[in-house]
Amino acid sequence: QVHLVESGGGLVQAGGSLRLSCVVSGSINVIHIMAWYRQAPGKQRDLVATITSGHSTNYADSVKGRFTISRDNAKNTVYLQMNSLKPEDTAVYYCNAQGRGYYSDYASWGQGTQVTVSS
């Protein structure tokens, strides 16, 4: 099994910053893609950013220039630095990891961490 644990969410004023972390553990052979998604109340879960094992990144248009995704392969950890936060960034943020485990491929989710941006 593969486990993901997010941390770093909280309440922040508009214009502020937060840094989310997600640690991946378990029967991991390799982590190909790590990603952050978010889901606001009553809305679908949307992709925020992805990063490959080679550190290639991709961002949703709504966060480009404000958010930065990074990863530490030695620590099996992915980060999301969120700057210039807006009230519309309020959501539960989920970490996702895809790769090869000891016995099979996997695509796993964390439990989510709440980010609330006040105006």
Side-chain angles (χ1 to χ4, degrees), residues 28-115:
I28 303 165
N29 203 352
V30 63
I31 307 173
H32 292 307
I33 296 174
M34 305 181 87
W36 289 97
Y37 289 73
R38 66 185 181 186
Q39 187 168 19
K43 295 188 176 181
Q44 67 181 19
R45 189 173 298 187
D46 292 326
L47 178 66
V48 175
T50 63
I51 186 167
T52 68
S53 56
H55 299 273
S56 295
T57 59
N58 186 49
Y59 295 93
D61 288 342
S62 59
V63 306
K64 281 181 181 176
R66 300 187 298 121
F67 291 10
T68 303
I69 189 170
S70 61
R71 64 188 282 175
D72 185 332
N73 290 333
K75 296 181 178 179
N76 289 339
T77 301
V78 62
Y79 306 96
L80 185 68
Q81 178 66 44
M82 305 185 293
N83 299 328
S84 302
L85 283 161
K86 304 175 181 180
E88 51 263 44
D89 294 319
T90 295
V92 178
Y93 283 70
Y94 296 91
C95 178
N96 174 271
Q98 303 172 41
R100 180 73 180 172
Y102 292 163
Y103 308 107
S104 63
D105 293 341
Y106 64 86
S108 300
W109 293 91
Q111 80 288 351
T113 185
Q114 177 70 47
V115 171

Side-chain angles (χ1 to χ4, degrees), residues 2-16:
V2 177
H3 304 279
L4 284 70
V5 178
E6 301 107 332
S7 62
L11 173 64
V12 64
Q13 288 188 333

